[in-house]
């Protein structure tokens, strides 16, 4: 049994694609035990209905996928973990950085892994989950206890038929995605436009180079391979062009009135700058501007 904490878009994607009968959502404390029912629209083919039971008291999963938003993850795990055996691997799917380290530091004895995924899922209407973008998922250990379990967990996730790879350097991969999200998401939320539109906007053109200078310095301070600001900008703009018509997750959160993950993207970079004595005025400015949108 694979337990999924966070029955939102990404959690429902995994629940719909993993073998039926082997998945359960983890309830919030006191949540009604009615199974979750929804329609699932795969990338190709007809939609189908999915029913996912809630994990019952005393039921022991062999794997826990955590698909809450970054800001909800610590509290969600504090409520869920007391009833989950300490040997069960925890796989964190959150965007950005900061929440993963919080979890690994809070439960150092548990096997903690992280996944970075480019799959896309959304819920355009109540009761419908859409697999909106075909991507891949990389999974790797965040602590030594998780290391021996990486291949087994990757195999379990691959039973979904989604593309899954074990990753030796998951922190590096999370950083690569963080750089892209730091260069796109806040701009799309502030400018209220699809990803590709930011490239034409004076606000983006004014701040992208100083932002990339900050990120380049932070990569060095974080022990990540150093990349020149120009290379970072090229990478960000390649993704903005490739996903030109997308609404970023951050813009979607603002439009829906949900909290954003800014504190784990540009906000994380600003905090890291403070720790290392690296000035991060652009990350700070973007963080504050997005915080004001909620
Ligand atoms: P979502 O808001 O659709 O789902 C999160 C779910 O967690 C919600 O159903 C919410 O009710 C639930 N939740 C919150 N607090 C909880 C708690 N205490 N206990 C139990 N459940 C709780 O978000 P999402 O789009 O599925 O994204 C989840 C994470 O995955 C985010 O960090 C996001 O950046 C990342 N991600 C999402 C996608 C995607 O395509 N959706 C792709 C890559 C990464
Ligand atoms: O990951 C994304 C997001 O929206 O969070 C990008 C790469 C910007 C695609 O929309």
């Amino acid at each position: 049994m694979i337990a999924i904490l966070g029955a939102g878009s990404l959690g429902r994607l995994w629940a719909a694609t993993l073998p039926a009968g082997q998945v359960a959502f983890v309830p919030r404390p006191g949540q009604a035990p009615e199974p979750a029912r929804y329609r699932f629209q795969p990338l190709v083919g007809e939609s189908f209905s999915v029913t996912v039971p809630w994990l019952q008291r005393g039921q022991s999963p062999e794997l826990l996928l955590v698909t809450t938003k970054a800001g909800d993850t610590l509290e969600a795990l504090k409520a869920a973990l007391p009833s989950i055996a300490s040997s069960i691997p925890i796989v964190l799917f959150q965007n950005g950085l900061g929440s993963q380290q919080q979890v690994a530091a809070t439960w150092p004895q548990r096997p903690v892994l992280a996944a970075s995924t480019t799959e896309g899922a959304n819920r355009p209407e109540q009761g419908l989950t859409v697999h909106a973008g075909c991507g891949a998922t990389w999974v790797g250990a965040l602590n030594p206890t998780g290391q021996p379990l990486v291949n087994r967990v990757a195999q379990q996730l691959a039973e979904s038929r989604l593309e899954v790879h074990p990753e030796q350097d998951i922190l590096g991969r999370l950083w690569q995605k963080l750089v892209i999200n730091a260069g796109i998401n806040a701009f799309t939320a502030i400018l209220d436009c699809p990803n590709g539109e930011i490239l034409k906007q004076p606000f983006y053109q004014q701040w992208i180079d100083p932002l990339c200078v900050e990120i380049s310095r932070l990569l060095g301070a974080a022990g990540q391979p150093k990349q020149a600001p120009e290379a970072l900008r090229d990478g960000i703009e390649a993704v903005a062009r490739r996903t030109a018509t997308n609404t970023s997750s951050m813009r979607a959160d603002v439009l829906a009135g949900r909290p954003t993950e800014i504190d784990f993207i540009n906000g994380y970079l600003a905090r890291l700058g403070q720790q290392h004595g690296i000035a991060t005025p652009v990350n700070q400015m973007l963080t504050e501007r997005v915080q004001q949108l909620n």
Side-chain angles (χ1 to χ4, degrees):
M1 167 71 65
I2 297 181
I4 301 179
L5 177 61
S9 301
L10 193 61
R12 286 171 187 238
L13 169 67
W14 285 102
T17 52
L18 284 163
Q22 290 184 29
V23 182
F25 287 133
V26 182
R28 290 173 193 254
Q31 195 173 25
E34 273 293 294
R37 293 196 171 82
Y38 56 98
R39 287 202 77 71
F40 177 70
Q41 175 60 63
L43 284 169
V44 283
E46 294 290 304
S47 69
F48 55 90
S49 64
V50 179
T51 303
V52 185
W54 296 96
L55 196 70
Q56 300 298 307
R57 194 173 273 278
Q59 212 178 355
S60 188
E62 57 199 74
L63 177 62
L64 175 65
L65 310 185
V66 185
T67 53
T68 44
K69 294 276 197 181
D72 294 324
T73 297
L74 200 59
E75 288 313 308
L77 278 169
K78 279 182 182 166
L81 284 184
S83 54
I84 293 181
S86 61
S87 58
I88 301 308
I90 301 170
V91 187
L92 304 170
F93 277 85
Q94 287 63 45
N95 253 355
L97 275 174
S99 68
Q100 298 89 342
Q101 290 94 328
Q102 283 176 338
V103 172
T106 307
W107 293 281
Q109 311 304 334
R110 287 185 179 260
V112 182
L113 295 83
S116 178
T117 185
T118 55
E119 298 290 351
N122 57 46
R123 288 176 293 162
E125 60 190 71
Q126 193 162 5
L128 175 66
T129 300
V130 176
H131 188 188
C134 176
T137 301
W138 290 265
V139 60
L142 281 181
N143 63 9
T145 328
Q147 192 61 51
L149 304 172
V150 170
N151 286 336
R152 196 185 86 202
V153 169
Q155 277 167 15
Q156 284 172 298
L157 292 178
E159 286 185 34
S160 62
R161 306 272 177 106
L162 300 178
E163 188 182 323
V164 180
H165 306 278
E167 170 62 85
Q168 286 313 307
D169 180 19
I170 193 64
L171 194 58
R173 200 167 273 280
L174 290 168
W175 259 100
Q176 288 167 29
K177 185 142 192 258
L178 175 68
V179 169
I180 302 299
N181 290 137
I184 295 179
N185 292 28
F187 288 107
T188 62
I190 295 163
L191 297 166
D192 190 18
C193 67
N195 295 357
E197 286 285 311
I198 59 172
L199 303 174
K200 303 177 206 148
Q201 299 277 345
F203 179 73
Y204 171 84
Q205 290 162 355
Q206 177 183 358
W207 294 113
I208 188 62
D209 284 332
L211 176 69
C212 288
V213 169
E214 290 179 15
I215 298 175
S216 176
R217 290 184 185 140
L218 291 166
L219 280 167
Q224 292 297 313
K226 200 151 165 44
Q227 288 183 65
E230 299 73 25
L232 295 174
R233 180 172 175 166
D234 286 349
I236 288 165
E237 296 193 347
V239 176
R241 276 190 214 95
R242 201 168 61 238
T243 62
T245 58
N246 275 27
T247 285
S248 78
S249 54
M250 192 170 287
R251 180 179 179 227
D253 284 339
V254 171
L255 290 174
R258 296 185 295 254
T260 71
E261 296 189 300
I262 190 69
D263 290 346
F264 301 89
I265 301 179
N266 303 91
Y268 173 78
L269 294 171
R271 289 196 299 281
L272 195 68
Q274 280 163 14
Q275 283 164 27
H276 289 282
I278 295 171
T280 54
V282 184
N283 278 293
Q284 188 61 38
M285 178 273 293
L286 291 171
T287 303
E288 287 168 12
R289 289 281 302 262
V290 172
Q291 285 167 344
Q292 285 158 11
L293 297 174
N294 271 129

